[in-house]
Amino acid sequence: MAEAEAGPGPGPVEEGPAGEAPSEEAAAVIGATVPTGFEATAAAEVQEKLGSASRVSRDRGKIYFSVPARCLPQVHRLRSVDNLFVVVQEFRDYQFKETKEEALKDLEDLVKKLPWTDPLKVWELNNSLKKKKTKRKKHNQQSSASKEKVKDDGEEEGTDQKDASEQEDCAQAAEPAGDQGPEETGGAESQNGDDDNEQSEAKDEPCDGSGAETKAGDGKEGEGDAKVLKFRVTCNRAGDKHSFTSNEAARDFGGAVQEHFQWKADMTNFDVEVLLNIHNNEVVVGIALTEESLHRRNITHFGPTTLRSTLAYGMLRLCDPQPTDIIVDPMCGTGAIPIEGAMEWPSCYHIAGDNNPQAVKRAANNICSLLKKNENKESSTSLGIPLDIIQWDICNLPLRTGSVDVIVTDMPFGKRIGSKKKNWDLYPACLMEMGRICTPGTGRAALLTQDKKCFAKALSRMGHIWRKNQTVWVNVGGLHAAVYLLKRTWERAEEKRSFW
């Protein structure tokens, strides 16, 4: 029928007795969705932090790597991945039958042949780690609450009221719903809706069938037995040669999963999410390890074009920040790029700015939220983050000529903010001013834009100070955009008048 593989490194792990926890050295094949175009960047991070080689999927926006089960906490701390799942089995060249009925029957029959035992043990281990994390979070909240009670009512009252009002601001900041990617999916909505202006096709378009499970064995509930877990199947399908829809695949595959495990189907309140990823002839069956995308980690106050943290990390990593580098985001919006930079590269100094006072306020609130989060962590010795936020004019920056090592920014697309017409004047002026503040010869910049025609024209006019090294094509909120990695030439930029 098909060539079955489990990804890089070792093949599918042999099944052990049901109910046993996976051994610490047992290998798990992990699949991760990443921002499209940044697969190599994510693979490099996995190699650097976990020591594992990754394989990039033919279905863009996914990588696979093999790690010991004990490394799951480190896997969740990766900065470049959006969603994680453990691979049950992978088929590199699955031969689908021609008729819809036969193709769907094949998918149903596949359920009984898959090696579920070890992936389910990894899912259980992942669940236990999540429960520990939740307990720690509750404990920290209770500790901070008890500390505040001990404080005197008088002097601290104003501070408490201020904190409360800041928290109200956080609660009122609604996160915008994101765009769906181009691939077809069916069933219930994905739990991982994306922010505006975010790349959404890494998760494709989810289609849910049915889902649920019990512990890792039988699903029947008896006296004293574990409760029957609820599940759903989410199918992501891409390709035009399939005789079925993603909804139909999720429905029939989910029915077979339910029959096989005696699990209970629930589209919204599920415990287990079984993934069926179909890209042309490549089929991957997995079990989700993340309930929501890992890019939702730093931002609490959202703007009209909030960049996802994983994409911000990829852009920063392209520039290879070095200790003591000064990194500037001159159009920071809500601060996604500088906040990600300060968290991952604390030995650099990060400066963020925007001409919009509302954007500066949101970024400042996001920084405050991050500082509070760090304070609540146990045994945290961090008193702050190396990041400052300023309101300024992008074309007239209050920075010394040649004083900046790295510039990373998300430029206006001319859709939700600004206009394409204004970009024809804005882009050349931005590149000129960025060239002025950037160190000649060693300075570099990673600039994201969807207005590629305008950017190419502006760059051709600034060829004496900027040289294009690389272009990474990305999908941002359903828009085809590009990240341009530029290198500063040795040419002297035009000196600006004094600001003071």
Side-chain angles (χ1 to χ4, degrees):
M1 177 178 62
E3 178 192 356
E5 300 200 19
V13 186
E14 287 183 14
E15 297 188 32
E20 275 186 21
S23 120
E24 285 200 344
E25 294 306 319
V29 179
I30 304 296
T33 61
V34 303
T36 23
F38 284 95
E39 295 88 353
T41 305
E45 187 193 11
V46 170
Q47 181 68 57
E48 178 189 300
K49 295 180 178 176
L50 301 175
S52 300
S54 299
R55 181 178 63 78
V56 177
S57 170
R58 281 176 287 180
D59 181 10
R60 288 188 77 206
K62 292 187 181 72
I63 63 169
Y64 298 98
F65 53 94
S66 184
V67 292
R70 61 183 163 78
C71 288
L72 274 178
Q74 291 95 306
V75 172
H76 278 274
R77 286 197 287 271
L78 292 171
R79 313 295 290 186
S80 55
V81 305
D82 288 314
N83 291 282
L84 296 165
F85 57 94
V86 58
V87 174
V88 176
Q89 194 154 4
E90 178 183 7
F91 302 90
R92 302 272 184 90
D93 189 23
Y94 193 99
Q95 298 302 310
F96 289 100
K97 298 288 174 59
E98 287 186 16
T99 68
K100 181 197 290 188
E101 290 74 17
E102 288 179 319
L104 292 174
K105 182 70 169 65
D106 257 9
L107 287 175
E108 284 183 48
D109 293 341
L110 184 62
V111 171
K112 301 171 195 167
K113 302 170 188 173
L114 293 173
W116 293 99
T117 305
D118 284 307
L120 281 170
K121 288 177 186 173
V122 172
W123 175 84
E124 282 181 357
L125 178 61
N126 188 70
N127 247 20
S128 67
L129 292 170
K130 280 195 292 187
K131 284 173 185 170
K132 283 179 188 174
K133 189 177 177 183
T134 307
K135 280 181 183 175
R136 278 200 303 270
K137 193 174 178 182
K138 283 181 181 174
H139 174 72
N140 289 337
Q141 286 171 346
Q142 287 168 358
S143 299
S144 58
S146 61
K147 280 178 190 173
E148 295 211 0
K149 279 185 182 179
V150 173
K151 291 179 180 177
D152 295 328
D153 292 332
E155 201 175 89
E156 297 296 332
E157 196 171 318
T159 312
D160 292 341
Q161 285 173 357
K162 185 181 172 186
D163 288 349
S165 66
E166 282 179 4
Q167 285 167 3
E168 277 179 25
D169 286 344
C170 291
Q172 288 165 4
E175 184 177 349
D179 306 300
Q180 289 188 319
E183 283 83 358
E184 182 208 352
T185 37
E189 291 179 335
S190 167
Q191 294 263 311
N192 305 321
D194 298 326
D195 311 325
D196 275 354
N197 201 21
E198 292 177 342
Q199 175 244 343
S200 58
E201 114 279 356
K203 183 76 174 165
D204 297 341
E205 198 188 30
C207 74
D208 312 327
S210 37
E213 86 151 7
T214 26
K215 199 174 172 206
D218 299 329
K220 295 177 182 176
E221 188 175 5
E223 290 184 292
D225 290 343
K227 72 179 180 77
V228 177
L229 298 186
K230 293 170 280 188
F231 84 108
R232 80 172 183 187
V233 168
T234 298
C235 176
N236 299 295
R237 185 185 69 83
D240 53 7
K241 294 184 179 177
H242 304 126
S243 59
F244 52 86
T245 67
S246 50
N247 257 335
E248 291 167 336
R251 179 196 65 207
D252 289 19
F253 191 82
V257 169
Q258 185 174 28
E259 188 178 332
H260 183 65
F261 289 103
Q262 295 298 300
W263 293 346
K264 184 180 175 184
D266 193 316
M267 296 301 145
T268 53
N269 232 356
F270 53 88
D271 301 300
V272 185
E273 184 176 20
V274 177
L275 304 174
L276 177 60
N277 295 328
I278 301 171
H279 179 76
N280 294 323
N281 280 355
E282 184 179 79
V283 175
V284 179
V285 179
I287 300 170
L289 299 178
T290 47
E291 290 175 10
E292 65 172 10
S293 176
L294 297 176
H295 78 259
R296 303 171 183 279
R297 52 177 174 252
N298 297 330
I299 306 301
T300 54
H301 292 66
F302 292 86
T305 57
T306 300
L307 192 72
R308 61 167 62 193
S309 299
T310 45
L311 186 50
Y313 173 86
M315 291 172 66
L316 283 155
R317 193 172 173 110
L318 277 180
C319 294
D320 189 25
Q322 299 298 311
T324 74
D325 273 354
I326 294 176
I327 304 175
V328 171
D329 180 356
M331 294 176 273
C332 70
T334 54
I337 292 171
I339 288 173
E340 187 66 25
M343 294 298 290
E344 186 65 13
W345 289 277
S347 55
C348 299
Y349 178 47
H350 305 263
I351 307 173
D354 204 287
N355 70 334
N356 185 327
Q358 194 60 37
V360 173
K361 184 181 176 184
R362 287 192 193 106
N365 284 333
N366 283 324
I367 294 167
C368 288
S369 298
L370 192 65
L371 288 169
K372 282 184 182 176
K373 185 178 168 185
N374 287 349
E375 282 173 14
N376 288 336
K377 284 183 180 174
E378 281 186 77
S379 70
S380 173
T381 54
S382 174
L383 299 176
I385 51 176
L387 167 58
D388 278 317
I389 173 81
I390 307 162
Q391 184 178 342
W392 58 27
D393 174 7
I394 173 58
C395 300
N396 203 22
L397 297 172
L399 296 170
R400 190 180 300 152
T401 298
S403 61
V404 172
D405 300 289
V406 176
I407 297 170
V408 183
T409 198
D410 175 10
M411 301 182 79
F413 286 13
K415 290 189 177 288
R416 295 191 185 98
I417 291 180
S419 68
K420 296 254 183 185
K421 187 178 178 182
K422 287 180 181 175
N423 283 351
W424 286 96
D425 293 324
L426 177 66
Y427 279 22
C430 286
L431 286 173
M432 176 62 81
E433 183 65 348
M434 289 177 192
R436 182 188 69 80
I437 65 169
C438 208
T439 311
T442 59
R444 54 260 187 226
L447 309 177
L448 168 68
T449 180
Q450 190 261 341
D451 197 349
K452 301 178 285 292
K453 185 178 176 182
C454 180
F455 186 87
K457 185 71 175 175
L459 188 59
S460 68
R461 288 170 57 185
M462 298 295 140
H464 61 294
I465 55 174
W466 288 113
R467 187 178 72 249
K468 185 172 74 173
N469 270 7
Q470 186 183 347
T471 305
V472 179
W473 303 105
V474 295
N475 181 305
V476 181
L479 299 173
H480 189 54
V483 174
Y484 296 94
L485 181 62
L486 309 180
K487 183 75 182 289
R488 179 69 168 83
T489 67
W490 286 99
E491 187 80 19
R492 280 173 63 89
E494 182 185 337
E495 287 288 340
K496 281 275 184 180
R497 58 183 168 74
S498 172
F499 294 95
W500 314 109

